[in-house]
Amino acid sequence: MPGTAQEKLARSACQFLASRLLYWQGSHTTTRQLLAKRHFHATPTASVFTAAWIPSRVKTPWVDALAQSRDEQARGKSAAGQQLPPKPDLTPKRMSDSYFSAILPLAQDKWLLDSYLNASGRIRLGTLFMDLDTLAGVIAYRHTGDSVTTVTAAADRITLLNPLKEICDLELSGQVTYATGRSSMEISLQVAKAPVNGEKVKSEDLLITCAFTMVSLDPATKKPIPVAPLVVETEEEKRLFQKGEENYNAKKALRKKSFLSQTPDESESNLIHSMWSKQILSKMTSTAAIENSDARTMSSTVLKSAMIMQPEDRNRHNFMIFGGFLLQKTFELAFCCAASFSHSRPTFVALDPSTFENSVPVGSVLYMNSLVAYTEPLLHEDGKGNSKYTKVHVRVDTRVRDVEHATRKSTGSFHYSFIVPNKVQVMPTHYTEYMMWLDARRRAQELDPIIASRFTEDAASARMDGVTE
Ligand SMILES: CCCCCCCCCCCCCCCC(=O)SCCNC(=O)CCNC(=O)[C@H](O)C(C)(C)COP(=O)(O)OP(=O)(O)OC[C@H]1O[C@@H](n2cnc3c(N)ncnc32)[C@H](O)[C@@H]1OP(=O)(O)O
């Protein structure tokens, strides 16, 4: 179709809006009516996006994508092999080139709010996480251009900072904060109470901060390819870039820290031995004893789910499932797991570094396995004694199998932290569980001090009164 790059982008935006709104409100309303509603409004800083804030998450209707793929298969690989290799745009970019912000008008539109609220009228964080992954994709493509395939490699951290006290319009924004010319980029995002009259977001109005790692792939070979490096100019940009570099190195180190390749250190070995011996001595592993205490065995916390992956949840590359969908589903399972464990309504605090290890193919069966991996009593404000709240870490391991169940592939692990309003404790009882417990404990200890300082009794009760899950 003819048109400038900006026109194409705006057209793409309309397509996405149409598909997203159909998803939101069922298929009774026509696309034209839905487009007329224009739920998302671009802010002045994102002038390209005149009709919607997110460009098309999918480019081709499924029926056409399927026909095209069958046609290519019938013609053999030679036809695909004849495609010209992509020419990624490697011109250095500024952070501001990828900056994007948009308003989600939850206070203005009750129908839009419908798909963001849970039964008790709180904002469904899983739905916001899905939007955040899309926003990370939009920002990544603003940096790389459209000639590459960009995937979410990891959700580095999602932190809920200040609980919302009332439903309000939200501003979602972000930019590429680290890219050096290798294949990955760090995208930093935030969700805040939408500022009025163009004011700057106040720190107390910040709801969520998060970072995603996006990786660009060659569309034909699906191998990582270089992306444009960042040009860093201002002091603030230098600070963000340096933080991005630290995060990049920390993520690499974390990947090497797996208990599959690294044994527990001396203090960890001593700790698990003392836990194990206490269990034996107090006969904690006997069901009767456990039922009468705050402790539950880790195996009793397991909650599983299986789902078939449908095309409507695919990403713009057609044959793989959208990362945001996986975030939403793993979050909701983790929430249920923490709820059934604690017999209470958990409040989300953070998603710890979590990876999208392999893509989830459309048509496959996704298995999600959640369990409470670690618990820690919260401290009183004065740092002494235990409060009635517990910090609960839930781990969700995902894997896919084809429908015939002939293949099996791990697709990533997701780590969620919640606060629950009672005293509960999880007890590992065999070696694999002890390793998962230690892994979650390491994650808890590596929490950003900003987040750790929010694990206090006062902060917990303020969160319970908020309007987010
Ligand atoms: C102008 C045009 C506008 C167009 C407007 C379009 C708008 C459009 C909007 C919609 C946008 C929606 C966007 C959704 C995007 C998905 O929804 S994608 C779906 C979910 N994600 C997936 O399926 C990914 C699955 N995972 C994978 O495929 C592989 O693990 C990966 C990510 C390719 C990495 O593979 P690998 O074998 O580990 O590769 P490797 O060479 O070792 O590492 C490659 C890079 O990844 C990094 N990496 C690997 N693992 C990790 C990890 N765990 N953590 C962090 N980094 C990692 C490495 O550090 C390396 O980075 P560099 O050092 O090169 O910088």
Side-chain angles (χ1 to χ4, degrees):
M1 272 192 1
T4 64
Q6 291 201 345
E7 282 164 356
K8 282 184 189 157
L9 204 56
R11 209 162 33 236
S12 180
C14 293
Q15 285 164 0
F16 172 77
L17 188 67
S19 62
R20 184 69 207 260
L21 292 176
L22 284 168
Y23 189 77
W24 285 331
Q25 298 190 339
S27 52
H28 302 298
T29 326
T30 65
T31 306
R32 187 179 290 271
Q33 284 168 316
L34 290 167
L35 277 170
K37 288 197 126 190
R38 296 188 178 182
H39 283 307
F40 285 95
H41 307 289
T43 63
T45 43
S47 53
V48 173
F49 297 82
T50 49
W53 73 280
I54 297 177
S56 176
R57 199 185 80 201
V58 289
K59 282 195 281 197
T60 318
W62 177 247
V63 66
D64 295 344
L66 199 58
Q68 199 179 323
S69 151
R70 284 178 179 154
D71 184 45
E72 275 171 13
Q73 269 174 13
R75 285 188 288 131
K77 292 216 167 193
S78 55
Q82 284 164 13
Q83 282 173 2
L84 287 175
K87 279 205 184 129
D89 173 11
L90 296 181
T91 326
K93 302 271 173 8
R94 295 186 174 84
M95 286 188 191
S96 56
D97 292 336
S98 61
Y99 178 82
F100 188 76
S101 77
I103 304 294
L104 185 56
L106 297 181
Q108 296 173 42
D109 189 333
K110 288 182 182 166
W111 282 112
L112 171 65
L113 192 57
D114 244 30
S115 42
Y116 284 84
L117 285 193
N118 68 13
S120 54
R122 288 167 182 242
I123 293 181
R124 287 174 62 187
L125 289 172
T127 314
L128 266 188
F129 296 166
M130 190 148 78
D131 286 350
L132 285 172
D133 188 36
T134 311
L135 183 62
V138 170
I139 289 169
Y141 277 111
R142 282 167 77 89
H143 184 85
T144 62
D146 204 16
S147 62
V148 296
T149 293
T150 297
V151 296
T152 313
D156 298 332
R157 165 117 31 232
I158 300 181
T159 312
L160 196 122
L161 294 172
N162 301 303
L164 271 187
K165 306 231 168 40
E166 57 189 12
I167 302 291
C168 58
D169 291 352
L170 296 176
E171 183 194 69
L172 284 71
S173 60
Q175 62 191 348
V176 175
T177 43
Y178 184 66
T180 58
R182 291 184 296 256
S183 67
S184 68
M185 294 156 269
E186 179 191 69
I187 319 278
S188 299
L189 306 172
Q190 67 175 44
V191 180
K193 203 169 163 177
V196 280
N197 303 330
E199 283 170 15
K200 277 197 145 190
V201 169
K202 297 187 203 116
S203 64
E204 65 269 25
D205 289 341
L206 213 49
L207 173 65
I208 289 174
T209 56
C210 64
F212 283 81
T213 301
M214 310 296 285
V215 172
S216 282
L217 308 177
D218 179 312
T221 63
K222 303 284 181 277
K223 297 268 180 256
I225 49 170
V227 298
L230 270 177
V231 189
V232 179
E233 287 164 338
T234 65
E235 283 307 310
E236 175 60 4
E237 286 175 357
K238 282 184 193 152
R239 190 188 66 77
L240 290 170
F241 189 86
Q242 197 186 338
K243 182 92 176 62
E245 183 149 42
E246 284 164 20
N247 293 343
Y248 177 85
N249 292 330
K251 277 178 279 179
K252 278 209 147 167
L254 186 72
R255 273 178 266 157
K256 287 192 192 130
K257 262 188 172 179
S258 151
F259 280 104
L260 278 178
S261 52
Q262 202 187 63
T263 53
D265 65 25
E266 201 184 331
S267 71
E268 288 171 336
S269 294
N270 290 342
L271 179 65
I272 58 177
H273 186 269
S274 107
M275 280 170 69
W276 173 80
S277 54
K278 264 191 212 147
Q279 273 184 39
I280 297 295
L281 285 175
S282 64
K283 296 195 175 19
M284 279 294 289
T285 44
S286 104
T287 316
I290 287 169
E291 274 173 5
N292 293 330
S293 76
D294 297 331
R296 306 268 179 281
T297 57
M298 197 181 281
S299 57
S300 73
T301 70
V302 170
L303 200 59
K304 297 182 182 182
S305 119
M307 323 166 64
I308 189 132
M309 295 293 98
Q310 304 293 2
E312 77 172 327
D313 301 311
R314 71 194 184 280
N315 68 13
R316 72 193 315 257
H317 315 303
N318 282 330
F319 296 95
M320 58 170 115
I321 292 296
F322 171 47
F325 174 81
L326 301 176
L327 278 181
Q328 187 192 44
K329 295 299 164 208
T330 54
F331 169 76
E332 289 180 356
L333 185 66
F335 180 93
C336 294
C337 179
S340 77
F341 166 68
S342 63
H343 292 277
S344 66
R345 171 172 279 282
T347 303
F348 170 80
V349 178
L351 167 75
D352 298 343
S354 299
T355 48
F356 294 88
E357 212 174 302
N358 283 297
S359 56
V360 175
V362 170
S364 61
V365 185
L366 176 73
Y367 286 88
M368 299 192 288
N369 194 346
S370 69
L371 52 78
V372 175
Y374 180 69
T375 48
E376 200 175 284
L378 288 199
L379 291 179
H380 276 294
E381 278 297 271
D382 61 7
K384 289 183 202 149
N386 292 337
S387 80
K388 60 178 181 184
Y389 296 99
T390 309
K391 189 167 55 159
V392 173
H393 288 255
V394 179
R395 171 190 179 114
V396 185
D397 290 304
T398 64
R399 62 178 201 281
V400 282
R401 309 200 67 171
D402 57 38
V403 173
E404 293 78 18
H405 284 63
T407 59
R408 180 198 177 105
K409 206 166 54 171
S410 167
T411 47
S413 300
F414 299 83
H415 305 264
Y416 293 94
S417 312
F418 298 91
I419 294 174
V420 297
N422 44 22
K423 271 176 113 173
V424 269
Q425 193 192 353
V426 73
M427 297 297 295
T429 53
H430 58 72
Y431 194 78
T432 305
E433 289 181 358
Y434 275 109
M435 292 307 105
M436 287 195 279
W437 186 86
L438 281 181
D439 177 68
R441 181 172 175 269
R442 280 185 186 175
R443 288 170 178 278
Q445 287 175 340
E446 277 167 18
L447 270 186
D448 189 320
I450 299 173
I451 309 166
S453 69
R454 283 159 207 272
F455 279 116
T456 62
E457 190 173 60
D458 279 2
S461 68
R463 268 160 203 272
M464 304 276 158
D465 295 339
V467 291
T468 42
E469 277 178 334

